[in-house]
Amino acid sequence: MMDYSRLLNKNVQQIKPSGIRKFFDIAATMDDVISLGVGEPDFQTPWIIRKAGISSLERGKTKYTSNRGLSMLRQEISNYINKKTGVNYDPENEILVSVGGSEGIDAAVRAIVSPGDEVIIPQPSYVCYEPVATLAGGVPVIIETLAENDFKLTPEQLLSAITPKTKALVLPYPCNPTGAVMEREDLQKIAEVLSKTDIIVISDEIYSELTFTKEGHVSIASLPGMRERTVLVSGFSKAFSMTGWRLGYACGPREIIAQMTKIHQFAIMCAPTTSQYAAIEALKNCDDAVNGMKAEYNRRRRLMVAGFNRMGLTCREPMGAFYTFPSIKSTGLSSDEFCEKLLEEKHVAVVPGTAFGAGGEGFIRASYCYSTEHIIEALARIEEFLKTL
Amino acid sequence: MKTELLKLLSRNARYSVQQLADMLGGTEDEITALIKELEREGIICGYKAVIDWDSVDGSAVSAIIEIKVVPKADLGFEEVAEKIAAYREVESVYLMSGGYDLNVVVKGKTLKDVAQFVAKELATMDSVTSTATHFVMRRYKELDVCLFDSEKDDRGSFSI
């Protein structure tokens, strides 16, 4: 008999499984679950994007592309990033087309982090950063962002987390699950702290198009002195509703991208060809579609925030992504207890804040990537639930 | 805000003022006042529920009638359209470009009722030169609402 726990990689085995596994199982026994628990758009990929993908298949575009991605796509990404952030990346050697933003993050971490290097990760945030850093042999250093700071990373917190071993900072804004956004002044303060170090920023900007501040998304890479020390990771999943297409990109200094490309070419070869052709169309012709989706998300955002606050669950206004992060502390229940009871009694699915880090205790994540009617129904059931407590 | 409000009401006329105010980022008083203004100006002309009558017992029959009109000096397209619109059996009237002039949707209790209405009231009307009646066999989508089961949400209940 093979003793797998002895044989398999210890580091991998030690990584904790997803904190929402049990909720899947409970929900599976129910018919009429109203969910606010997913992390992907409800919109279909815009038709012209799908058509471009289909057309590429009809034309037989099913072979590998260049490792870095189709040069036409890299050119479009370069134009797009320049338009959106003002930063200029050379499509020849400063852009890598990846399998989703996920692979971009993973390749960046693996290219940057050597065993023992510390990686600063603000939490609550998306669950992949900690395990990805660990798998690369890095040491995650968690910073607990706070509700009173709107879950932004403060320069004081950053300063106190930096040690001589710090190699990288993950900057995930707009943030899943908090909806927090780092505006220009916030980023400037972080940049100032970083300028005195050799720390490399891995900026996860996957939700950048869904920024609801007046100025819109600002990339830390656009600030003075930051371009040479930032890897900008983004993708097509959230803004263009292309989650299943698995397409993203990383932009950065050529030396970093070169090492990332090495990892990518050996582990992945190239991102899906069909998705790459579709993505070219997305960048060229979908501004209107994206703006339409963004306006709809904005309406839903306001609806949900107002709804939660009205029923006594304090919900600060999230300025990005498509999540609200209301506090459930007033109920006296833990996040886990709240979500379990809500699911069992009212068949409403929300994600406990603790799934995103210990600092998520006392919060739940409710997504607004659902129709307004769906949101209204879910909020009504949550309100009924609160009355029973 | 006016256009956004109209789009929301057109999507679902039963949003409460509070919900509209939340979604549009305005106050309830602002929204109430805006709706009144739009109603007064005749921009909002009515509020209707979209019903799947085929699922209701004793359901009605409807037909699309293509009407050709030869307008006269004192009875132009406007007058004919208004005359037709006055009938309670008539659900909608549109002036069209192309092969015929007026598109009229007629509702009745039975096929026979509709056919008789067209024959007695529309075909005989002054200035009407021909009618072509097409019965609606099945409705799939009406006023932006899908009447069949639209796609299920594939996403499941949870994902990080």
Side-chain angles (χ1 to χ4, degrees):
Chain A
M1 271 297 294
M2 304 276 279
D3 181 2
Y4 292 107
S5 60
R6 185 178 56 85
L7 297 169
L8 299 180
N9 183 311
K10 296 270 179 299
N11 282 341
V12 177
Q13 289 184 76
Q14 268 171 16
I15 292 175
K16 288 189 296 260
S18 162
I20 56 173
R21 184 73 256 162
K22 70 166 174 208
F23 292 100
F24 274 111
D25 296 336
I26 302 175
T29 66
M30 299 169 177
D31 283 330
D32 61 337
V33 172
I34 268 216
S35 174
L36 295 179
V38 301
E40 64 179 314
D42 55 316
F43 297 108
Q44 287 283 10
T45 310
W47 175 238
I48 59 168
I49 300 176
R50 283 182 274 161
K51 223 166 69 167
I54 292 167
S55 151
S56 80
L57 290 170
E58 286 171 346
R59 287 177 293 130
K61 303 291 184 198
T62 55
K63 309 282 189 295
Y64 293 126
T65 67
S66 127
N67 294 132
R68 287 179 202 254
L70 289 169
S71 64
M72 195 154 56
L73 176 56
R74 281 181 276 129
Q75 183 60 62
E76 289 297 332
I77 291 170
S78 176
N79 297 344
Y80 190 78
I81 291 291
N82 196 6
K83 188 171 79 175
K84 295 284 177 175
T85 67
V87 188
N88 211 348
Y89 289 104
D90 182 351
E92 246 336 280
N93 44 35
E94 294 183 323
I95 296 180
L96 172 66
V97 177
S98 56
V99 179
S102 300
E103 196 224 334
I105 299 286
D106 186 58
V109 169
R110 283 156 77 187
I112 293 166
V113 172
S114 299
D117 283 348
E118 288 177 359
V119 180
I120 297 178
I121 300 169
Q123 280 185 358
S125 64
Y126 184 53
V127 302
C128 83
Y129 309 122
E130 232 189 296
V132 162
T134 306
L135 287 169
V139 177
V141 172
I142 308 300
I143 292 182
E144 302 289 4
T145 58
L146 303 170
E148 54 255 39
N149 296 327
D150 281 319
F151 296 106
K152 298 184 198 218
L153 176 65
T154 68
E156 294 80 22
Q157 287 179 308
L158 179 57
L159 208 43
S160 60
I162 292 176
T163 75
K165 292 206 175 129
T166 309
K167 176 63 74 63
L169 164 67
V170 173
L171 206 61
Y173 291 96
C175 185
N176 170 14
T178 61
V181 157
M182 295 279 279
E183 298 188 69
R184 187 175 292 277
E185 317 80 62
D186 307 314
L187 292 171
Q188 275 162 347
K189 294 182 194 148
I190 300 299
E192 219 195 290
V193 172
L194 293 171
S195 62
K196 307 181 178 80
T197 71
D198 278 335
I199 296 171
I200 301 178
V201 176
I202 301 173
S203 184
D204 186 348
E205 303 186 12
I206 193 80
Y207 291 100
S208 55
E209 278 85 356
L210 302 180
T211 301
F212 304 107
T213 57
K214 224 168 171 183
E215 185 181 359
H217 176 73
V218 176
S219 173
I220 195 168
S222 66
L223 298 184
M226 289 307 299
R227 190 193 184 287
E228 61 169 353
R229 57 179 83 236
T230 304
V231 178
L232 191 167
V233 175
S234 189
F236 296 84
S237 295
K238 317 292 180 180
F240 298 93
S241 290
M242 290 176 77
T243 41
W245 296 77
R246 309 313 300 122
L247 203 73
Y249 48 88
C251 309
R254 69 173 62 193
E255 290 82 356
I256 304 182
I257 296 296
Q259 300 307 317
M260 288 173 62
T261 303
K262 230 188 254 177
I263 298 167
H264 169 84
Q265 94 191 106
F266 289 124
I268 305 282
M269 295 278 275
C270 72
T273 304
T274 310
S275 305
Q276 291 189 54
Y277 279 101
I280 293 170
E281 186 65 27
L283 293 175
K284 279 167 103 160
N285 292 318
C286 285
D287 275 352
D288 280 348
V290 171
N291 288 333
M293 289 190 265
K294 180 179 167 180
E296 180 63 18
Y297 283 128
N298 203 4
R299 282 186 284 268
R300 299 164 176 183
R301 178 182 72 104
R302 293 193 196 111
L303 184 66
M304 192 174 266
V305 171
F308 278 129
N309 279 312
R310 215 170 272 130
M311 66 174 91
L313 298 181
T314 311
C315 186
R316 301 176 82 94
E317 198 184 356
M319 299 309 287
F322 40 58
Y323 309 104
T324 61
F325 205 55
S327 163
I328 48 109
K329 292 182 176 141
S330 58
T331 66
L333 297 169
S334 73
S335 293
D336 236 51
E337 285 167 349
F338 184 95
C339 294
E340 215 177 315
K341 272 180 92 103
L342 179 62
L343 183 58
E344 274 164 359
E345 290 174 29
K346 288 291 174 185
H347 297 195
V348 178
V350 293
V351 184
T354 42
F356 305 95
E361 181 51 71
F363 296 90
I364 54 169
R365 185 194 78 176
S367 315
Y368 49 89
C369 40
Y370 295 92
S371 73
T372 41
E373 283 71 21
H374 183 104
I375 291 170
I376 288 168
E377 170 71 31
L379 289 176
R381 289 204 208 176
I382 295 174
E383 194 166 8
E384 282 167 23
F385 171 70
L386 290 177
K387 295 201 171 99
T388 70
L389 294 178
Chain B
M1 201 188 276
K2 207 183 257 196
T3 320
E4 261 199 283
L5 173 61
L6 289 171
K7 283 197 184 138
L8 286 176
L9 285 175
S10 155
R11 187 193 296 179
N12 182 349
R14 295 198 66 193
Y15 285 131
S16 69
V17 171
Q18 185 184 81
Q19 287 160 350
L20 290 167
D22 286 345
M23 286 190 276
L24 296 171
T27 66
E28 294 188 34
D29 285 343
E30 279 172 341
I31 300 297
T32 308
L34 192 47
I35 292 177
K36 275 210 173 70
E37 187 192 314
L38 292 164
E39 288 170 351
R40 208 178 39 235
E41 288 173 7
I43 294 177
I44 295 179
C45 310
Y47 300 94
K48 309 283 267 177
V50 177
I51 312 283
D52 180 10
W53 287 108
D54 289 340
S55 305
V56 176
D57 279 332
S59 58
V61 165
S62 61
I64 293 174
I65 328 291
E66 295 170 358
I67 299 187
K68 286 199 180 132
V69 172
V70 166
K72 299 214 269 280
D74 57 345
L75 196 64
F77 287 121
E78 289 278 297
E79 286 79 15
V80 177
E82 282 169 18
K83 265 181 90 173
I84 294 176
Y87 287 98
R88 57 164 182 74
E89 291 90 341
V90 168
E91 189 183 73
S92 60
V93 183
Y94 308 124
L95 179 64
M96 309 292 284
S97 72
Y100 63 95
D101 305 305
L102 293 174
N103 179 311
V104 176
V105 178
V106 170
K107 270 215 170 85
K109 281 217 174 64
T110 66
L111 215 104
K112 207 164 154 207
D113 284 345
V114 172
Q116 281 186 340
F117 171 80
V118 175
K120 278 184 27 209
E121 306 293 332
L122 298 185
T124 57
M125 195 179 279
D126 215 3
S127 286
V128 169
T129 58
S130 76
T131 65
T133 303
H134 306 274
F135 284 95
V136 173
M137 300 302 289
R138 188 156 166 213
R139 292 166 186 277
Y140 294 93
K141 190 175 186 187
E142 184 125 348
L143 293 173
D144 263 333
V145 178
C146 283
L147 300 179
F148 53 91
D149 278 326
S150 33
E151 308 124 43
K152 240 186 105 229
D153 190 341
D154 279 339
R155 296 174 296 169
S157 299
F158 291 93
S159 71
I160 292 282

